[in-house]
Amino acid sequence: MTTMPATHPITGTITAPLVAPSILSADFAALGDDCRAVVEAGADLLHLDVMDGHFVPNVTMGPALCRSLHHCLPEVFLDVHLMVTNPMMYVQPFADAGAGHITFHIEADEDPGEVIDCIRAAGCTAGIAVNPPTEWQSIEPWIEAVDMVLVMSVNPGFSGQAFIDSVLAKTRAIAPRLRDDQRLQMDGGVNLGSVEACREAGCDLLVAASAIFGSDDFAGSISALRGA
Ligand code: DX5
Ligand code: ZN
């Protein structure tokens, strides 16, 4: 049996960092089983990396996969990370497919305020992401309006890349600007070597693909990332 979160995983009160396995490193031929296993091992939510082959040089998953996962594990919160050029095109399809939260990139060619409104109108919480080369000031006008800021710690496109240490300064600048009901997510190269620096910089939602699905002890990996 998978467990239902007691509070909203993004906006609820938390007492320890949340851990979100990115299913990008799961076995796609056994996706339901892999996802159930990480949830039973203590994952707080599942992170879906959506890539369109244009914003990033890779193609991954669409709303159909999200819908199947939602039907398979209806009580599990799905965090959709849109690495796409036109986020507005994908908000409603993912919301209809069971997404609970949707993050888009400030670097995408859209009006951020319009995308945030669209995500909320679709019934999801909203996040804004910044790529490693992007200054945190680019998202400053939108910080108050979102439920989560995602700091990318690799250039998006693939799992298994090395953590880019220079994003920690940006993370430290953003952290004090967030309210208690907002999350600061780190995504990319988060593993046992980098996670302490992420937590110290103020991240309270840690995404990991290879560090979890590449391990043979999901529960041990998740609790180590959490800092338990
Ligand atoms: C990167 C994705 C990440 C990625 C993380 O483009 O947004 O979520 O899957 O993979 P790891 O944890 O292996 O760096
Ligand atoms: Zn991601």
Side-chain angles (χ1 to χ4, degrees):
M1 277 287 290
T2 51
T3 51
M4 175 120 48
T7 58
H8 191 285
I10 303 291
T11 58
T13 303
I14 59 167
T15 54
L18 304 174
V19 177
S22 159
I23 68 169
L24 195 53
S25 288
D27 178 355
F28 281 14
L31 193 57
D33 290 344
D34 260 10
C35 289
R36 186 176 288 107
V38 290
V39 171
E40 288 177 351
D44 298 289
L45 55 154
L46 294 177
H47 183 87
L48 277 62
D49 284 310
V50 176
M51 305 185 189
D52 64 353
H54 186 264
F55 185 76
V56 288
N58 196 5
V59 177
T60 54
M61 56 196 80
L65 185 143
C66 183
R67 180 175 292 105
S68 293
L69 211 48
H70 182 56
H71 284 163
C72 176
L73 300 167
E75 71 279 26
V76 174
F77 191 86
L78 302 179
D79 160 27
V80 170
H81 177 191
L82 293 178
M83 286 159 279
V84 302
T85 301
N86 298 307
M88 290 285 276
M89 189 190 297
Y90 296 100
V91 167
Q92 194 64 52
F94 274 100
D96 291 344
H101 173 92
I102 299 177
T103 293
F104 69 100
H105 274 256
I106 188 70
E107 300 87 1
D109 189 19
E110 297 273 15
D111 171 351
E114 197 182 353
V115 182
I116 293 166
D117 289 348
C118 177
I119 294 171
R120 292 203 187 290
C124 298
T125 49
I128 194 161
V130 274
N131 277 337
T134 305
E135 307 253 341
W136 76 267
Q137 287 88 347
S138 68
I139 61 161
E140 194 170 14
W142 317 107
I143 287 180
E144 202 180 329
V146 294
D147 302 289
M148 188 177 86
V149 172
L150 191 173
V151 175
M152 284 304 305
S153 37
V154 297
N155 288 304
F158 301 92
S159 59
Q161 301 183 74
F163 186 84
I164 299 173
D165 291 297
S166 59
V167 305
L168 290 168
K170 173 165 55 183
T171 309
R172 285 189 211 99
I174 296 169
R177 292 175 162 80
L178 297 180
R179 303 182 305 268
D180 288 348
D181 64 344
Q182 293 173 302
R183 301 278 77 81
L184 184 49
Q185 184 176 68
M186 189 72 90
D187 183 10
V190 175
N191 55 35
L192 295 188
S194 59
V195 73
E196 200 173 333
C198 300
R199 293 194 304 258
E200 281 174 7
C203 288
D204 54 11
L205 209 178
L206 302 156
V207 174
S210 47
I212 295 174
F213 286 106
S215 130
D216 54 13
D217 175 10
F218 291 168
S221 304
I222 290 168
S223 70
L225 291 171
R226 206 191 303 285

